Amino acid sequence: MILIDGKRTANEIVEELKPRTAAFEQKYGKKAGLAVVLIGNDPASAVYVRNKIKKCAEAGIASFPHYLPAETSQKEAEELLEALAADSSVHGILVQLPLPAHLNADRILAKIPAHKDVDGFCAENMGKLALKEEGCVACTPLGVTELFKRYGIQTAGKRAVVLGRSNIVGKPMALLLLNADATVTVCHSRTQNLKEECARADILVAAIGKPRFVTADMVKAGAAVIDVGINRLADGTLCGDVDFKAVKEKAAYLTPVPGGVGPMTIAMLLANTMRAAERNP
Ligand code: NDP
């Protein structure tokens, strides 16, 4: 079994970005810039935001953090997004989800113009992905695709199963695999014979948020298994959606949690920001 090292691959991507960020700064007299908006006190979100800002600095991308209190009003949040949309030093905007329950996330996210939507969540970017046109693709599934490329995992003609159909992971993942010529099945909470569907997959991507849901009997021998899930257990440790210990005896490729898809998500955020800056300096 080949253990896919997302941390190392993500570091390689950051190294590869450095000459591009430097060239951009030299050409335009400013750095590529990412605005990061965090509203409220969710501890996990605070950790993610800190990591993203740290990695921006490492890659030579300017970050503009905006930490707003949990009681921020819809109007205040929308006004901040409007200002960031108009700010020429900001090339990418990220709103850390989830937002506090009283806020309408859709209306806030709708303030991000498509060319600054480095998370690739907006209708225009999702539509472009569906049409196989160039746009900005959601960071997590894009990171998974990058792992396929860098580990030489063939997708064309392969049977791929995506577990989960969320707008931020499952759906764009399925579209990316389809665009990469895989034969794609998407499974969700209403899928029948889910075990059998998974067991037929040459490539299995698990993104459902259920600890160790994917057991060895759901994995075809020699499959590539990508674990997107991040679940915090009662003892405080993290685990994925895949039963790592059992599945590693059967899979040909497997990502660990942590250290698999997570670091790739951040690397793709930086890559998307750089691309957004190069397209609209
Ligand atoms: P969502 O909760 O938005 O979606 C979960 C999906 O899984 C839904 O489509 C749901 O089906 C499906 N599902 C849930 N339970 C089952 C089940 N028992 N059987 C089959 N399908 C099921 O989650 P996200 O897509 O946002 O995230 C998924 C996981 O990935 C989480 O653990 C999250 O923390 C992690 N994640 C990791 C990232 C990273 O950087 N590594 C980034 C983003 C997320 P239905 O649609 O029918 O409800």
Side-chain angles (χ1 to χ4, degrees), residues 1-7 48 139-141 143-145 147-148 153 161-164 169-170 173 177 202-216 218-219 223-233 237-248 251-265:
M1 193 271 302
I2 294 173
L3 184 68
I4 296 181
D5 189 339
K7 201 169 169 194
Y48 293 143
C139 302
T140 301
V144 173
T145 306
L147 289 174
F148 292 149
I153 297 169
V161 170
V162 179
L163 258 176
V169 188
M173 186 74 250
L177 282 161
D202 302 306
I203 296 171
L204 179 60
V205 181
I208 58 173
K210 298 267 179 285
R212 302 188 186 118
F213 181 90
V214 176
T215 45
M218 294 164 73
V219 172
V225 180
I226 307 292
D227 192 352
V228 176
I230 303 177
N231 307 291
R232 194 166 288 280
L233 301 176
T237 57
L238 290 182
C239 85
D241 289 348
V242 175
D243 182 353
F244 183 88
K245 266 193 198 151
V247 169
K248 81 175 177 9
Y253 296 87
L254 181 58
T255 61
V257 177
V261 176
M264 290 300 290
T265 298

Side-chain angles (χ1 to χ4, degrees), residues 63-107:
S63 57
F64 305 104
H66 294 268
Y67 299 140
L68 275 62
E71 57 276 12
T72 299
S73 71
Q74 183 76 26
K75 186 162 173 278
E76 285 167 328
E78 288 186 21
E79 279 171 4
L80 170 63
L81 269 292
E82 279 165 12
L84 296 174
D87 185 341
S88 62
S89 56
V90 171
H91 302 96
I93 303 173
L94 176 142
V95 176
Q96 187 66 44
L97 299 175
L99 292 177
H102 70 281
L103 293 173
N104 181 325
D106 289 343
R107 270 179 29 218

Side-chain angles (χ1 to χ4, degrees), residues 155-168:
T155 50
K158 299 294 179 191
R159 193 182 284 272
V161 170
V162 179
L163 258 176
R165 58 172 164 180
S166 73
N167 288 341
I168 65 170

Side-chain angles (χ1 to χ4, degrees), residues 120-159:
F121 293 164
C122 76
E124 185 176 329
N125 281 320
M126 277 294 273
K128 283 183 172 168
L129 176 61
L131 296 175
K132 212 178 171 181
E133 288 176 9
E134 201 172 310
C136 199
V137 179
C139 302
T140 301
L142 188 62
V144 173
T145 306
E146 198 60 35
L147 289 174
F148 292 149
K149 283 187 199 146
R150 289 178 186 243
Y151 277 84
I153 297 169
Q154 296 296 320
T155 50
K158 299 294 179 191
R159 193 182 284 272

